[in-house]
Amino acid sequence: MLRIKNLEAGYGKLRVLKRISLHVNPGEIVTLIGANGAGKTTLLSTITGLVRATAGEIVLKGQNIETLKAEKIVFRGCSLVPEGRQVFATMSVRENLVLGSYVQHRQGKEQLREGIEYIYDLFPVLRERKAQLAGTLSGGEQQMLAMGRALMAKPALIMLDEPSTGLAPLVVKNIFRIIERLREEGNTVLLIEQNAKAALKVADRGYVLETGKIILEGQADELLANRDVQRAYLGRDVKEN
Amino acid sequence: MTLELFSQYLLAGVTYGIIYAIVGIGFNIIYNTTGIINFAQGEFVMLGGMTAISLTQWLPLPLAIGAAVVVVMLIGALVEILFIRWLDRPSVLRMIIITIGISILIREAALHIWGDGVRSLPYFAGNEITTIQVLGARVSPQVLWVIGVCAVMVLALSLFFKYTLQGKKMQACAANRMAATLCGISTKNMVTLSFMLSAGIGALAGCVMSPITYTQYDIGTGLAIKGFTVAILGGLGSSMAAVTAGLLLGLIEAFSVSVVPLAFQDAIAITLLLAILFFRPHGLFGSKDAAGLKEF
Ligand SMILES: Nc1ncnc2c1ncn2[C@@H]1O[C@H](COP(=O)(O)OP(=O)(O)OP(=O)(O)O)[C@@H](O)[C@H]1O
Ligand SMILES: [Mg+2]
């Protein structure tokens, strides 16, 4: 599905990503864990084209996308739910979803309606609030809307950047349940999480990113059992919970 | 004040007010998609009038106006592509200087092409002495043309933003540029579109007002100040508030004639602008929180 080879990227003179290689197979949930500032968001931004790669390759469904513009990459079937719930605050919930389906705008009205119904099914609270302005939703509802909007594009690969940050435990649980449901329905997910334990529990495989380099990769259960990972990323989790 | 005089002032106020509103909406459309205050907004109005006047030599009036609007829209797009598009996250100050530069450029080009003479389009119906009775006042039918056409433009714009995909895409860009990009919307194209749209409504307003207000190469500056006042008064970004604010400014100007000498009329807008910037920078109707989010 997605294959990244020796990817480098940064901001101006600052090199953030250093020779990153990773891949995501169809139907998999892959998680990327790492401390604050490790470059996780930068990696997703580079895949979506918001940040330019300075070297290396990004191959999506067999095609190189590293030189495409961000708005074109979405059309290739890769959607990002960005960090920090970037909803269209001045527009209604339904309008947000309709805009999410923009890459599918040649589809009929009927498919659009079905797509929206599917999202309302995943997140019933959005149905209740469909006419409300997105900016007036609660943080959790906004996160669900951001996920729903990305799913409206019917992406082959959906990337989630810290979907559970700042949410109550019950809402976090719900979000992870939905990520699992996405996999059951055959979606491919690349998940970034601070909550490494929860992420590794739903994921098939994982990568550990440290100061812009991948220092560890493996099956999710192996990583969960790994001593270094436990000390660096899971220990803190245990204390916090 | 007699009823007739009152109606006369009222209609004059509404006529000018709705023109200011259109210029103010032009500011808002570009501001919303880019965060830029385009000080060349008044020049679009001038260009619309001037181009249409020149085209009437070869074309019948409606066609000349239609063609002028299209030409000015293309100029708007060209301005954006040449001067704005390639900038990467410019500062507000830099943008202001650039748009003022563009306005000077257009004005000088207009002086070169059309000279400094005062021109005007013919009246759409009748001639300069034709009058009709409205609310007890005798006014030129052109007044109704101005009010009607501008009102239709306001309505069409609000329908455009509410119901069309293009309108929604522009709104999305205004709300969150990054999220719009992630939905597959080309924000650069939306910015070009916003310049075209602002140029187009400005040009059309410039055409309908030309018979009564006349057109000269330098009318843009004054209109830009009025339009900017209206946009700020309405709390930058809101089109409906701009209409209210435009009518308010138009009426204040019109009725002030009975109190202060005509020569001071233009000073009123400036005074009002300064007063708002000092006391209510978020506009009469805008909210304080929204103002806090703006860059300046
Ligand atoms: N727009 C930017 N301009 C300059 N530097 C940036 C920018 N965005 C991020 N950085 C820097 O790049 C590095 C990696 O940031 P990034 O946001 O990718 O980290 P992250 O792993 O997502 O962290 P977090 O877990 O806190 O979200 C940081 O040192 C950060 O300061
Ligand atoms: Mg991050």
Side-chain angles (χ1 to χ4, degrees), chain A residues 48 50 70-72 74-75 79-80 82-83 85-91 95-96 98-100 102-103 105 149, chain B residues 85 89 161-162 165-169 171-188:
Chain A
T48 47
L50 293 171
E71 64 264 19
K72 293 278 178 279
V74 195
F75 281 87
S79 286
L80 170 68
E83 199 171 14
R85 314 166 191 137
Q86 309 283 340
V87 295
F88 299 120
T90 53
M91 305 175 83
E95 285 174 322
N96 268 267
V98 170
L99 281 164
Y102 173 60
V103 303
H105 65 278
R149 191 184 56 199
Chain B
R85 185 172 266 250
R89 279 175 228 134
F161 282 113
K162 224 181 183 122
L165 183 61
Q166 286 300 329
K168 288 247 196 286
K169 280 160 68 183
Q171 234 184 316
C173 277
N176 191 325
R177 200 98 49 99
M178 176 180 73
T181 307
L182 290 175
C183 287
I185 297 167
S186 163
T187 51
K188 296 215 154 155

Side-chain angles (χ1 to χ4, degrees), chain A residues 35-42 83 161-162 192 194:
Chain A
N36 292 119
K40 306 179 297 291
T41 301
T42 307
E83 199 171 14
D161 194 349
E162 307 199 4
I192 287 188
Q194 287 293 330

